[in-house]
Amino acid sequence: MNILVTGGAGFIGSHLVRRLVTRGGHSVVNVDALKYSGNLLNVKDLEHDSRYRFVHGDICDRQLIESLIRDHKIEGIINCAAETHVDRSILDPGVFASTDVVGTGILLEEARRAGVKRFLQVSTDEVYGSVEEGSSTEEDRLAPRSPYSASKAGGELLVLSYWTTYRFPVMVTRGSNTYGPNQYPEKFIPLFVTNAIEDQPLPLYGDGRQRRDWLAVQDHCAAIEHVLMYGEAGSVYNVGGGNERENLVVAEELLACLSKPKSLIRFVQDRPGHDRRYSVDCGKINRLGWKPEISFERGLRSTVEWYQQHQPWWQPIKSGAFKQYYEEQYRRRLKEGRTCAS
Ligand code: TYD
């Protein structure tokens, strides 16, 4: 299949592109705007593969998208391009609506006009909002609470409307918190692992008792490929790892992997509107034939090892433009934070 992956230089996108080319035998065009978290090092190993092609560009560029679909005879599109970080969406929400809603709309419309056969929107379990009890099924009401999750919900509603309105064959995956190698170190696990490696404090929001369901990136990408191939048009599929953990427990587990002391944990001012818990029911995608294979213990250990072995990947990121964001997000919090003992 000729597949266009957007955002393929990002975290999930780069793992997905590699999987589609090397395991699936597909021809893949990767279009990525290379904004702050897109990184060509993530796909460097594919550079000389004849089935792979990188194009620097934005999903908001209608002409570029139209010509890519035409010139490469694209049959399937997977939209991974997105602004993805909740904390940044609180600091600067505008760009989230542009990329996650408007950009998705442009990509979708060009795909429909060209008669693309399958369109998969990579979304998130955060569209359900905070789920204090039980697990969300695909039919549950969407109740996003951050500018990030609201933008992702807007994007996927637009995608689903193309099935209802035009019978354009779209699918949506709602993945849970994903972790693994190559994740930009603003997110919880890579931020805490890299800070711990450098003996820097780990800024845990609020009481640290919020719960997330952790999904290994390799499992997430297998699910996306599976839905692209076998998913029913017009359908939504939850994708969860089945590894629900409190943030504090994850922080302690990753410190143990690194043999670092718990005293590195700092309880800091909470994120505004912080969702307490996410949990998805994965019965539907299980029945389609996918289930996760990587236990959290194994996935976390190999992720920690990856960051230990790839300091040349993340150190330039953390000492570059990221520093300014980190200062804005954490300086005051860390000054006022407290350790476990205090
Ligand atoms: P994150 O990786 O930002 O994913 P999301 O907010 O999309 O779930 O955060 C995961 C959890 O970790 C979330 O409950 C917020 C918490 N967290 C911290 O406690 N400190 C931090 O510095 C970050 C980035 C996240």
Side-chain angles (χ1 to χ4, degrees):
M1 199 170 179
N2 295 328
I3 301 175
L4 177 68
V5 176
T6 70
F11 167 50
I12 298 174
S14 61
H15 284 268
L16 180 65
V17 166
R18 181 173 304 103
R19 181 183 178 94
L20 294 171
V21 172
T22 61
R23 292 173 67 149
H26 300 286
S27 293
V28 174
V29 177
N30 170 9
V31 62
D32 195 300
L34 298 180
K35 293 188 187 167
Y36 77 92
S37 61
N39 187 344
L40 281 180
L41 286 177
N42 294 347
V43 277
K44 192 152 179 52
D45 54 314
L46 295 171
E47 240 171 32
H48 302 297
D49 195 309
S50 59
R51 297 162 298 185
Y52 170 75
R53 173 85 187 271
F54 174 73
V55 178
H56 184 194
D58 198 313
I59 56 169
C60 293
D61 183 344
R62 191 179 289 282
Q63 271 182 344
L64 173 72
I65 298 298
E66 194 242 313
S67 67
L68 285 179
I69 295 173
R70 190 188 52 233
D71 296 351
H72 296 277
K73 301 186 172 50
I74 295 298
E75 300 161 291
I77 296 185
I78 304 177
N79 185 22
C80 293
E83 294 286 343
T84 65
H85 191 42
V86 175
D87 292 321
R88 286 192 194 251
S89 83
I90 294 167
L91 295 172
D92 182 17
V95 65
F96 283 73
S98 314
T99 302
D100 300 1
V101 185
V102 178
T104 296
I106 291 169
L107 186 67
L108 186 63
E109 177 59 8
E110 291 312 312
R112 180 185 78 88
R113 283 155 59 108
V116 168
K117 294 193 180 73
R118 313 274 284 170
F119 185 105
L120 191 153
Q121 173 74 359
V122 177
S123 190
T124 165
D125 63 355
E126 298 191 28
V127 296
Y128 295 115
S130 195
V131 181
E132 309 293 316
E133 274 172 29
S135 299
S136 310
T137 68
E138 289 82 354
E139 286 71 41
D140 284 359
R141 186 175 76 95
L142 303 191
R145 291 161 24 95
S146 72
Y148 160 65
S149 52
S151 302
K152 288 298 287 185
E156 68 160 82
L157 288 175
L158 197 51
V159 168
L160 290 168
S161 79
Y162 270 53
W163 171 248
T164 312
T165 310
Y166 306 110
R167 284 295 180 257
F168 179 60
V170 300
M171 283 139 300
V172 172
T173 53
R174 294 187 184 141
S176 67
N177 280 67
T178 305
Y179 70 98
N182 303 91
Q183 188 170 27
Y184 193 82
E186 65 190 353
K187 296 283 167 60
F188 177 60
I189 288 184
L191 178 71
F192 276 32
V193 170
T194 55
N195 277 15
I197 291 173
E198 295 189 312
D199 296 308
Q200 294 297 314
L202 314 185
L204 194 64
Y205 295 152
D207 62 2
R209 300 288 179 190
Q210 303 83 7
R211 302 176 81 93
R212 297 291 185 265
D213 171 16
W214 293 98
L215 171 64
V217 66
Q218 298 86 347
D219 279 336
H220 193 166
C221 291
I224 293 169
E225 183 182 14
H226 196 77
V227 172
L228 182 76
M229 294 301 146
Y230 307 110
E232 199 184 318
S235 283
V236 178
Y237 296 90
N238 287 339
V239 186
N243 299 297
E244 186 175 332
R245 295 279 190 295
E246 283 184 350
N247 291 340
L248 176 59
V249 171
V250 175
E252 288 173 350
E253 283 184 29
L254 66 87
L255 284 169
C257 287
L258 287 161
S259 305
K260 298 280 184 176
K262 287 184 191 172
S263 57
L264 281 177
I265 295 174
R266 285 286 189 290
F267 289 90
V268 301
Q269 187 193 37
D270 208 351
R271 170 190 281 173
H274 195 168
D275 288 338
R276 200 74 188 157
R277 177 174 176 265
Y278 303 128
S279 177
V280 283
D281 182 314
C282 294
K284 189 170 172 187
I285 193 168
N286 293 159
R287 289 190 291 281
L288 194 69
W290 173 89
K291 61 174 175 38
E293 285 176 356
I294 301 172
S295 73
F296 188 61
E297 288 63 35
R298 178 156 75 92
L300 184 65
R301 187 162 289 282
S302 63
T303 301
V304 166
E305 280 166 12
W306 189 87
Y307 282 94
Q308 283 178 306
Q309 289 158 7
H310 291 80
Q311 301 202 13
W313 182 89
W314 57 266
Q315 265 165 348
I317 295 174
K318 288 190 90 171
S319 55
F322 178 80
K323 245 175 145 170
Q324 199 185 332
Y325 161 76
Y326 193 80
E327 282 278 298
E328 188 175 351
Q329 180 65 15
Y330 295 107
R331 198 171 57 88
R332 196 172 59 82
R333 280 189 159 96
L334 283 168
K335 227 169 94 195
E336 294 168 356
R338 57 180 182 85
T339 58
C340 283
S342 60

